[in-house]
């Protein structure tokens, strides 16, 4: 019995220390002008297709893209585990050079519970930038603000590391027909 009580006490102390360290990290350094609280972190993938493929010459192209991500929420008002999907597409005049230009706009994330049940929708405004990554990768960074729905008011930071952004394909007859990469995202609210 004494061994069980000691074991329980040790786990309780460990849990308390972990909880206190989380609160300290979430609060940020003392004296900071503003702090943020991380409400959710996500990982997943991004796939975008172009028909016809992008070339160096501007042309009318149909774009379809999907970001699919699994998220862990630290916001106590939402389920712990969520799945988010951002899907969209359209037609416009694009080229490989225009693909690397900054963009801005708005979009939505459809949230479901990991079991597949519909949960919520978030609308957000964003701007993007594209920069070189490590080992020949290209990083697309999206920053913005959730304007309505789940995590309303939160800042969003989403990064996609494209491993197959083969700009040499832009000079081929078929062009660049797709790109895909790993996604990480964070939703944070200001204190």
């Amino acid at each position: 019995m004494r061994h069980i009580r000691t074991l329980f006490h040790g786990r309780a102390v460990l849990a308390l220390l972990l909880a206190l360290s989380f609160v300290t990290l979430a609060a940020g350094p003392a004296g900071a002008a503003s702090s943020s609280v991380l409400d959710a972190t996500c990982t997943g993938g991004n796939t975008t297709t172009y028909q016809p493929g992008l070339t160096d010459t501007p042309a009318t192209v149909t774009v379809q893209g999907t970001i699919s991500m699994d998220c862990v929420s630290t916001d106590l008002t939402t389920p712990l585990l969520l799945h988010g999907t951002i899907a969209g597409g359209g037609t416009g005049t694009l080229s490989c050079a225009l693909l690397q230009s900054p963009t801005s706009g708005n979009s939505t994330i459809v949230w479901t519970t990991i079991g597949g049940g519909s949960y919520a929708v978030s609308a957000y405004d964003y701007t993007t930038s594209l920069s070189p990554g490590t080992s020949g990768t290209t990083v697309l960074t999206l920053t913005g603000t959730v304007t309505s729905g789940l995590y309303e008011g939160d800042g969003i930071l989403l990064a996609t590391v494209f491993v197959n952004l083969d700009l040499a394909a832009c000079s081929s007859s078929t062009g660049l027909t797709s790109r895909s990469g790993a996604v990480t995202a964070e939703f944070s609210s200001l204190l």
Side-chain angles (χ1 to χ4, degrees):
M1 181 72 163
R2 182 178 179 162
H3 179 316
I4 292 172
R5 192 174 328 138
T6 302
L7 181 62
F8 176 74
H9 178 70
R11 286 186 179 169
V13 169
L14 178 60
L16 179 61
L17 288 173
L18 287 173
L20 288 174
S21 67
F22 176 74
V23 169
T24 301
L25 290 173
S34 67
S35 296
S36 63
V37 173
L38 186 62
D39 290 328
T41 59
C42 309
T43 58
N46 178 337
T47 302
T48 305
T49 60
Y50 307 96
Q51 287 300 324
L54 297 177
T55 65
D56 293 323
T57 306
T60 301
V61 177
T62 300
V63 180
Q64 292 293 322
T66 302
I67 294 175
S68 179
M69 54 192 179
D70 292 325
C71 304
V72 176
S73 177
T74 56
D75 176 352
L76 299 178
T77 64
T78 62
L80 176 63
L81 301 175
L82 290 171
H83 179 79
T85 302
I86 303 168
T91 302
T93 302
L94 284 176
S95 68
C96 286
L98 291 173
L99 179 65
Q100 298 179 72
S101 300
T103 61
S104 62
N106 52 57
S107 189
T108 57
I109 303 170
V110 176
W111 299 101
T112 56
T113 58
I114 294 299
S118 180
Y119 184 71
V121 174
S122 297
Y124 64 96
D125 295 331
Y126 66 88
T127 58
T128 65
S129 62
L130 200 64
S131 60
T134 60
S135 303
T137 62
T138 304
V139 180
L140 173 71
T141 304
L142 176 150
T143 57
T145 303
V146 178
T147 57
S148 67
L150 184 62
Y151 304 123
E152 182 174 357
D154 275 17
I156 179 174
L157 173 61
L158 186 144
T160 301
V161 178
F162 289 111
V163 293
N164 69 338
L165 190 56
D166 180 12
L167 294 179
C170 297
S171 301
S172 71
S173 60
T174 57
L176 179 68
T177 58
S178 68
R179 63 182 181 165
S180 60
V183 170
T184 58
E186 294 182 348
F187 294 82
S188 300
S189 57
L190 290 176
L191 290 176

